[in-house]
Amino acid sequence: MTRTTHCRKPLDTNMKERGVTLISVFPKLNLRGVLWAGLAACAVALMPVGQAMAAPEADAHAAVVSQPLKQLIAYALAHNPEVAATAFDGQAAAARTQTAQGALLPRITIEGGYTRYGDDLRLTAARYNGELGVFGDNILAADLVLRLPLYTGGRLTAEMRAAELLEASAGQRLARSRGELVYNVSSLYYGQLAQARLIDSLNFSAETLASQLERVNALIAARKAAKVDALRTKVKLADIRQRLLREKNNLAVQRQALLNLMGEGADFTLAGPLDPPAGETRGIETLAAAALEHRPDALAARAEFEAQTARVEAARAGHQPTVNLVGSVGNRIMNQPTQHPAGLQTNDDVTRIGITFEMPLYEGGRTSARVDEENAKLGAQRERLVKLQLQIRLEVATAYANLASGLERLASTGKVIDLAAESQRIEQEKYTLARGTVLDVLDAQSALLDAQANHIRALADANAAAAQLALATGENLP
């Protein structure tokens, strides 16, 4: 009787002290739920089962509610392969910006070569009439050449602006990738605490059924109950135990999911309670406007659109003339001259400086085709930007609705647990007094377990929605 009267306390204590987020443990999961499931499994796998079942130990960890999660997030940000890859993408974009900027600066090269002519040529041009010179058909040349673009129709400037915008976009993509990692790690963290809670509930339910089986056997020995009551209790107990094994296996899988997010060398133990999230006081329109204004992927998309606009300008500059400043200092050497007047050397210095001009007249339509291509890409970028804006509004509205629904379900399921616990207590007393059946007791026990699971699911969904809303509005950036 004492055990029956307090049947709800261990779960209720655990639900407030340990915290659990459950999604992949139950059927009808959405895509977000599958992700949570991965998180949920990790928490229990990270905690020994014996530790997860002990309420006093859970109290000892209650003082570090957020610290373990912060540590996990910090480790994941430092070691996650996808975040590292995105950071390298940003470095590549920065290098492309340097390349575009360098195109505006002078270019200095060393150029040389060997030329054999069909007729004898003078080594260097005559500086006055009648000047003697060295002649031959083999000339070696070496020059230090400087080239500086003076006018390109705005092509180089547009290419540099496009590169800078793409570099900024890469930085925003990195921020978004970090935000998604924070969301995934947080969801898995909460999910595994929820999974631990579910396992605690199953363990307590198994203990309750084991005690019930002992009472049934005692009543059978006193000829106050039928043997079929014991069989029915054993069947129910076996079902709880196999479900417990299934949930522990899910935890092992989910732990590995979190380890994959953490990167190589990750090893940790989760601790801390799972409390209901705070409600959102701002309206959907306010949240959507903030997301469109501040979300990194929205900023990245706008930067990419502007960069594509610059690319269109660069392509159109292909119709414009190009003017370059060219200067060089070099030396010419005559190899095996055919005419070598006395006193003249077979090598001579050459210097030059000038301006070159190039105007495209006919290129087979290549420049026009490139302009058409870049304009088509610009149209595609514009439509993708519109699509992203609509998607952001949908994500904010979905997360907002999920949070409100989760909080409402959390309030209602908490009351159901009290009713289910009282119902189980009454049915056990009735059975002990031979006024009820074992089926009534088992049904009441199942109802209590279902109520606990529903509460855990609601708690998981509410925390998931809170994390999802923070991601949707871009407010979870590290």
Side-chain angles (χ1 to χ4, degrees):
M1 290 294 295
T2 302
R3 192 178 188 88
T4 302
T5 303
H6 296 84
C7 64
R8 178 178 173 268
K9 186 177 184 300
L11 173 68
D12 187 61
T13 301
N14 286 331
M15 293 182 70
K16 294 180 180 177
E17 295 170 349
R18 304 225 15 153
V20 183
T21 303
L22 178 63
I23 292 219
S24 51
V25 203
F26 298 96
K28 297 184 179 179
L29 301 178
N30 54 20
L31 188 58
R32 173 173 54 83
V34 173
L35 179 62
W36 280 43
L39 285 167
C42 192
V44 173
L46 298 172
M47 279 187 210
V49 175
Q51 177 184 350
M53 292 177 57
E57 285 72 10
D59 285 337
H61 293 298
V64 286
V65 176
S66 60
Q67 188 62 24
L69 177 58
K70 290 182 178 179
Q71 292 175 354
L72 292 179
I73 291 175
Y75 188 95
L77 290 173
H79 297 87
N80 180 265
E82 183 59 30
V83 169
T86 307
F88 282 117
D89 290 339
Q91 294 179 15
R96 287 192 291 270
T97 299
Q98 294 179 355
T99 300
Q101 292 172 342
L104 294 170
L105 301 176
R107 183 169 177 245
I108 301 175
T109 59
I110 295 179
E111 301 178 8
Y114 165 78
T115 306
R116 182 179 180 87
Y117 297 93
D119 298 318
D120 288 350
L121 296 179
R122 188 183 177 105
L123 177 61
T124 57
R127 290 178 284 271
Y128 56 88
N129 290 334
E131 181 185 15
L132 296 178
V134 177
F135 288 80
D137 59 0
N138 293 282
I139 297 179
L140 296 172
D143 296 287
L144 181 65
V145 183
L146 178 144
R147 291 183 177 85
L148 176 65
L150 300 179
Y151 177 76
T152 61
R155 176 177 59 85
L156 295 181
T157 303
E159 289 177 349
M160 184 183 68
R161 186 167 70 254
E164 290 173 344
L165 288 168
L166 290 176
E167 181 183 358
S169 172
Q172 296 296 341
R173 294 292 180 191
L174 175 59
R176 181 61 178 175
S177 179
R178 290 167 62 88
E180 290 175 346
L181 180 62
V182 170
Y183 164 72
N184 291 337
V185 171
S186 300
S187 299
L188 288 171
Y189 173 83
Y190 293 134
Q192 289 173 67
L193 292 179
Q195 186 75 354
R197 238 178 181 181
L198 176 65
I199 290 179
D200 286 348
S201 298
L202 290 171
N203 278 322
F204 186 77
S205 181
E207 293 175 3
T208 301
L209 285 174
S211 299
Q212 175 67 20
L213 181 60
E214 293 177 1
R215 285 192 294 271
V216 170
N217 287 330
L219 292 174
I220 293 174
R223 300 193 179 191
K224 295 182 180 180
K227 291 184 178 181
V228 69
D229 291 349
L231 296 176
R232 288 169 175 168
T233 305
K234 289 179 180 179
V235 169
K236 186 62 177 179
L237 180 59
D239 179 70
I240 293 295
R241 287 173 176 170
Q242 68 84 23
R243 184 178 174 184
L244 183 60
L245 292 175
R246 185 178 66 229
E247 301 307 337
K248 288 181 178 180
N249 182 67
N250 287 340
L251 274 177
V253 175
Q254 294 163 5
R255 172 182 170 83
Q256 188 59 50
L258 184 55
L259 287 174
N260 288 349
L261 288 180
M262 300 295 294
E264 295 183 347
D267 191 13
F268 42 81
T269 299
L270 297 185
L274 181 64
D275 299 321
E280 180 56 60
T281 58
R282 294 169 293 178
I284 294 180
E285 290 302 322
T286 301
L287 293 172
L292 292 171
E293 184 69 21
H294 303 295
R295 255 181 63 161
D297 52 342
L299 298 176
R302 285 198 289 269
E304 290 167 3
F305 177 77
E306 295 174 5
Q308 187 57 39
T309 302
R311 282 200 182 111
V312 173
E313 296 176 6
R316 287 173 178 165
H319 293 296
Q320 302 297 319
T322 301
V323 180
N324 294 306
L325 172 67
V326 180
S328 68
V329 176
N331 190 270
R332 302 290 184 272
I333 300 176
M334 182 66 71
N335 185 29
Q336 297 178 349
T338 57
Q339 299 181 42
H340 187 189
L344 297 181
Q345 297 181 350
T346 59
N347 68 292
D348 199 357
D349 294 331
V350 177
T351 60
R352 66 188 176 97
I353 187 170
I355 294 177
T356 63
F357 172 86
E358 181 181 350
M359 178 68 186
L361 298 178
Y362 177 74
E363 296 179 310
R366 285 178 292 179
T367 300
S368 297
R370 186 188 171 196
V371 172
D372 292 341
E373 177 187 359
E374 298 300 337
N375 271 321
K377 290 181 178 178
L378 180 63
Q381 287 281 11
R382 182 184 299 108
E383 297 304 321
R384 290 193 180 98
L385 181 57
V386 173
K387 176 185 176 182
L388 177 61
Q389 292 172 344
L390 295 174
Q391 181 64 30
I392 288 175
R393 290 183 177 277
L394 175 61
E395 291 176 2
V396 171
T398 301
Y400 185 89
N402 287 342
L403 177 58
S405 173
L407 291 175
E408 291 178 3
R409 289 169 49 210
L410 194 59
S412 62
T413 54
K415 298 176 181 178
V416 172
I417 292 179
D418 294 330
L419 298 176
E422 180 63 16
S423 175
Q424 185 206 37
R425 184 189 66 79
I426 293 173
E427 292 298 336
Q428 285 185 338
E429 289 183 355
K430 287 171 58 180
Y431 181 76
T432 303
L433 298 174
R435 295 179 181 177
T437 66
V438 73
L439 289 177
D440 295 331
V441 175
L442 297 179
D443 288 344
Q445 176 64 27
S446 295
L448 176 59
L449 183 59
D450 290 342
Q452 294 167 347
N454 289 335
H455 187 73
I456 291 172
R457 186 185 296 111
L459 188 60
D461 289 345
N463 279 277
Q468 182 187 16
L469 184 59
L471 176 67
T473 54
E475 297 176 349
N476 69 334
L477 297 180

